[in-house]
Amino acid sequence: MIKIAIVENETEQAELLRCYVERYSAEKGINCQAFVYENGLDFLSQYRAGLDGIFMDILMPLPDGMKAAERLRRVDESVCLIFVTNMAQLAIRGYKVGATDFLVKPVSYFDFSMEMDKIVRAHERRANDSIWVSTAGSMRRVAFSDICYIEILMHDVVIHTSSIRSAPCAT
């Protein structure tokens, strides 16, 4: 599932982006879920890792999008961040906080879907990140997204996953 946050203080713009997420989901056959926040403060106070993309307005109160992005990057450097703004000259500053891109209002569905394609590709890359581990004489590929936790017992590394039975890895 692709998880998208929309941080937008203008109700109509937030609803438009939320509808775009639904349309994209239906057209591409990809399960997407959108979470809408009216301001940066609400977004930051409820933020949990696991989002794939964020569409954030720059000009909004509590704090503005740029300050919210700076705080976001302190806890999550990898989530795709797309600024949405009326003023293209402000969006250029977004690259200082690692913005993936920016969209100028009014946002067209075509432009939105191009950004969603980037978010989906990044999601797929993260889902395919893995390591090879040696288990009982054979090699097994374990996706990072599948790992629940790792522990060391004596001199063995034990990887606990959500889909395969845990087995000690050769050290």
Side-chain angles (χ1 to χ4, degrees), residues 2-3 24 27 29 34 55-56 70 73 75 78 81 113 116-117 133 140-142 152 154 162 164:
I2 305 296
K3 295 178 183 174
Y24 183 88
E27 286 181 1
F55 290 89
M56 184 179 295
E70 289 169 2
R73 288 304 188 210
V75 295
S78 64
L81 174 63
S113 67
M116 283 295 295
D117 287 344
V133 296
R140 174 177 277 163
R141 183 175 178 225
V142 178
I152 298 175
M154 303 297 284
S162 57
I164 59 175

Side-chain angles (χ1 to χ4, degrees), residues 11-36:
T11 306
E12 291 122 19
Q13 287 295 318
E15 181 61 16
L16 176 69
L17 294 175
R18 190 192 62 73
C19 288
Y20 282 175
V21 171
E22 288 180 4
R23 179 177 169 187
Y24 183 88
S25 180
E27 286 181 1
K28 301 286 185 169
I30 299 171
N31 192 7
C32 298
Q33 185 175 17
F35 305 93
V36 179

